[in-house]
Amino acid sequence: MSLYGNRGVHGQTVDAIGRRVLSGELAEDATLDLAGLQAEFGVSLTVMRESLKVLAAKGLVGARQKRGTYVRQRADWNLLDPDVLRWQFSTASGTSLLRSLEEVRGIIEPAAVRLAALRRTDDDLARLDEALDAMSRADDSHSAVEADISFHRALLTATHNELLERMETVLESALAARDQLVHGTDGASDDPVPSHRAVLDGVRAGDADAAEAAMRALLNKAISDEERLRIGSETP
């Protein structure tokens, strides 16, 4: 997944302004001081304009005659955009977003895995096996995150439901942020392979009930990991 924070000066400008909007440093309805931002970031007017076009496409900013460029209301923000999700995770509201993710996953993934158990192909199983193997070999947080995302992406693909497959945009961004927090904290998470293997076993057997039960157990484990992380972060 390509994110704007990784795209040179233009990407860094988008990233910086986006984070300020999501953190509230640039408040809703606030008018942007474009000349000041251009001078602060040391970028050309062209770069600033192109950056604002990206932010406008994400619903974060708008422009009006006599008013200039301003921050739009949160209700207008594209909260499912990968960058917007990532910026929100980097703010104080990241913990709240984790809770929202738990609820979304609890709705989507148990139902999706039932379809996967009934519709999976040999190619789907091969992709799931590959992701699980990568998870077992992961020796750092980055590899663990990538393997986890690959596994859940492969599950959505195995549903052969085009709309469910598109949900990977939400799950990937949120899982990446969640996993970086969990895997980046010593002792926050134990071996993820057994819980994921149980899901795969249900899918491979074509047993929708077993696959769903295993997914719910996996999600409960994720909630437990996140709760330990929250408690640890709140301990002085």
Side-chain angles (χ1 to χ4, degrees), residues 2-107:
S2 183
L3 298 172
Y4 268 91
N6 301 324
R7 299 183 183 178
V9 175
H10 167 58
Q12 291 167 15
T13 303
V14 171
D15 197 68
I17 298 175
R19 287 177 185 274
R20 292 184 187 186
V21 171
L22 267 293
S23 69
E25 183 178 344
L26 289 173
E28 296 173 46
D29 293 322
T31 299
L32 274 59
D33 177 3
L34 300 187
L37 289 171
Q38 183 183 344
E40 178 185 350
F41 299 142
V43 298
S44 67
L45 181 58
T46 298
V47 168
M48 182 58 64
R49 285 175 174 168
E50 290 303 313
S51 298
L52 293 174
K53 285 182 181 178
V54 172
L55 293 168
K58 298 175 184 295
L60 299 184
V61 302
R64 291 178 185 165
Q65 286 187 344
K66 298 183 180 179
R67 180 178 179 182
T69 303
Y70 64 96
V71 178
R72 298 179 68 180
Q73 291 285 320
R74 183 181 177 88
D76 297 323
W77 301 352
N78 182 1
L79 295 177
L80 300 184
D81 178 89
D83 286 301
V84 175
L85 281 168
R86 180 170 57 88
W87 294 329
Q88 188 169 343
F89 264 116
S90 70
T91 70
S93 62
T95 298
S96 175
L97 188 58
L98 277 175
R99 294 192 182 99
S100 295
L101 169 61
E102 292 167 2
E103 294 173 353
V104 170
R105 294 185 68 190
I107 294 169

Side-chain angles (χ1 to χ4, degrees), residues 163-194:
L163 297 182
L164 275 174
E165 289 181 50
R166 297 296 176 90
M167 291 302 297
E168 73 175 33
T169 300
V170 179
L171 292 182
E172 283 185 28
S173 300
L175 275 171
R178 178 260 176 195
D179 283 352
Q180 286 167 0
L181 289 173
V182 171
H183 291 296
T185 304
D186 292 339
S189 178
D190 54 15
D191 184 4
V193 173

Side-chain angles (χ1 to χ4, degrees), residues 154-235:
L155 279 176
L156 291 178
T157 299
T159 67
H160 296 278
N161 179 305
E162 187 177 43
L163 297 182
L164 275 174
E165 289 181 50
R166 297 296 176 90
M167 291 302 297
E168 73 175 33
T169 300
V170 179
L171 292 182
E172 283 185 28
S173 300
L175 275 171
R178 178 260 176 195
D179 283 352
Q180 286 167 0
L181 289 173
V182 171
H183 291 296
T185 304
D186 292 339
S189 178
D190 54 15
D191 184 4
V193 173
S195 57
H196 286 75
R197 180 177 289 117
V199 173
L200 177 52
D201 287 345
V203 171
R204 193 189 309 278
D207 188 333
D209 290 338
E212 179 183 355
M215 176 56 74
R216 291 193 183 281
L218 186 156
L219 294 176
N220 287 336
K221 177 180 179 296
I223 292 172
S224 177
D225 286 344
E226 291 161 16
E227 187 60 32
R228 278 185 285 170
L229 178 63
R230 293 187 193 113
I231 294 173
S233 67
E234 293 169 0
T235 301

